[in-house]
Amino acid sequence: MSDRLLKFLFHDAPVRGEVVRLAEVWQQVIEHHDYPAPVLALLGEMTAAAALLAANIKFNGALSLQIEGDGPVRLLVVECQPDFRLRATAKLRADAPVPADATLRTLVNVQGQGRCAITLDPQDRQPGQQPYQGIVSLTGDSIAHALESYMRQSEQLDTRLWLAADARAASGVLLQKLPAEGGRAAQARDTDAWDRTTTLAGTLTPPELLDNDPEQLVRKLFWQERLEHGAAFAPRFECRCSRGRIGRMLLSLGRGEVEDILREQDRVEVTCDFCNQVQSFDAVDVGQLFATGDSRNEVPERRH
């Protein structure tokens, strides 16, 4: 089954929906990481949710979904580009083991200090313009509940999410009630559609979410409904790290700090949190980088 994201509308009803299933993308996200099962499941649900939210927003830019926690998991980040290039990572605290039965609360919200942030970074952002960011406290006992609360607070839209993830795939369903004033919602005659469709989606089990492709899932859930099918997308994994980006980061640290690292370790090695690729800079590389003061011409990886 290929990775797919589908969008659809319920005919004559103020409800829109989306379904996503990520298999190959998800395998590429986790192949270089050994996450404990509860962390893997949470990050997978976030990855599916980020794709659904990105498809739901009329916005030309990157969407980043981030959770900062006060438990064994310090940070989870998912980034979705406007063409559905995805990457994701989790950072754990070394001194805090993850129980096999860990929940959202015990993973990231032990003292109630966990936060959920969604950042929208426009592609055409002007110099000095800051990305839009909305932050809410973590609520509920799942990432789906936390994001539903976020959407109610920040967008004033009733939104329901059903998410599941394991080592094979990450999947999700999103239903959203359209605004009551103006547009399609004002003209809709099927006013019971929201209660009916969310009840149907509420029967989903995690195996059903994970084992069916989006087209099959939509047919199984809403076979009695009249649907207007919209765009279909093919998400893919892509990490935007590069030697040039690492070079710019080293330039921002300053020559003194970078040379201190060289004296201690003989080379500067930076590992990408998303794809686990290691970029190594020795003394010659660093000298070349700071001599030009410009990383646009990427420093080639060489052995001296």
Side-chain angles (χ1 to χ4, degrees):
M1 291 183 285
S2 60
D3 294 6
R4 296 274 283 174
L5 187 150
L6 299 181
K7 299 178 70 172
F8 53 91
L9 292 165
F10 291 86
H11 181 73
D12 202 20
V15 183
R16 61 187 169 198
E18 298 169 4
V19 180
V20 68
R21 186 178 189 274
L22 306 172
E24 183 176 345
V25 168
W26 182 231
Q27 293 304 309
Q28 290 175 295
V29 166
I30 64 175
E31 66 178 340
H32 297 298
H33 302 279
D34 186 22
Y35 297 128
V39 178
L40 182 145
L42 179 57
L43 185 64
E45 291 180 6
M46 285 180 60
T47 304
L52 292 169
L53 293 175
N56 196 48
I57 298 173
K58 293 181 179 179
F59 169 74
N60 184 26
L63 179 145
S64 176
L65 174 58
Q66 178 175 312
I67 287 180
E68 294 183 20
D70 57 6
V73 177
R74 179 165 60 87
L75 181 69
L76 302 112
V77 180
V78 182
E79 180 184 271
C80 184
Q81 296 295 319
D83 57 356
F84 296 97
R85 289 172 291 146
L86 287 155
R87 61 178 187 166
T89 189
K91 290 190 174 183
L92 282 65
R93 291 184 168 86
D95 57 347
V98 176
D101 59 350
T103 63
L104 177 70
R105 177 174 292 278
T106 57
L107 283 174
V108 296
N109 206 25
V110 176
Q111 303 297 326
Q113 301 300 309
R115 301 190 307 163
C116 176
I118 294 180
T119 303
L120 302 178
D121 191 1
Q123 283 192 336
D124 56 355
R125 180 155 52 95
Q126 301 300 310
Q129 179 185 358
Q130 296 299 311
Y132 166 79
Q133 185 176 71
I135 301 174
V136 295
S137 299
L138 281 178
T139 58
D141 56 4
S142 70
I143 185 60
H145 292 159
L147 292 174
E148 289 169 359
S149 175
Y150 176 94
M151 294 301 290
R152 282 193 299 270
Q153 292 182 45
S154 65
E155 305 295 331
Q156 286 78 54
L157 290 174
D158 286 328
T159 305
R160 294 292 311 277
L161 284 157
W162 295 266
L163 304 167
D166 60 14
R168 298 174 299 124
S171 301
V173 173
L174 178 148
L175 294 178
Q176 191 167 77
K177 189 174 184 180
L178 299 176
E181 297 181 3
R184 183 186 182 93
Q187 302 169 14
R189 292 190 293 272
D190 187 356
T191 56
D192 296 327
W194 176 248
D195 290 338
R196 186 175 68 252
T197 56
T198 54
T199 298
L200 288 169
T203 65
L204 279 171
T205 64
E208 286 176 314
L209 268 170
L210 295 170
D211 294 340
N212 290 279
D213 65 32
E215 289 86 355
Q216 291 172 326
L217 200 60
V218 170
R219 285 196 298 270
K220 286 185 176 183
L221 277 178
F222 306 122
W223 63 275
Q224 289 185 310
E225 303 290 333
R226 290 180 62 190
L227 300 181
E228 300 172 17
H229 292 277
F233 304 94
R236 66 188 190 277
F237 173 81
E238 182 177 295
C239 187
R240 298 187 298 115
C241 73
S242 70
R243 196 162 175 80
R245 285 176 178 269
I246 301 301
R248 289 192 289 275
M249 183 270 288
L250 296 180
L251 286 171
S252 70
L253 290 177
R255 187 162 196 156
E257 185 169 344
V258 174
E259 289 185 341
D260 285 344
I261 298 173
L262 278 174
R263 280 190 289 271
E264 293 176 6
Q265 304 177 9
D266 294 328
R267 62 183 58 245
V268 180
E269 290 190 340
V270 180
T271 303
C272 176
D273 291 329
F274 292 93
C275 68
N276 223 32
Q277 182 175 351
V278 179
Q279 296 289 352
S280 181
F281 295 76
D282 64 14
V284 175
D285 296 328
V286 170
Q288 180 182 342
L289 181 67
F290 281 95
T292 62
D294 188 352
S295 66
R296 285 176 295 180
N297 296 320
E298 296 193 3
V299 178
E301 186 152 15
R302 300 176 295 174
R303 295 183 180 275
H304 303 287

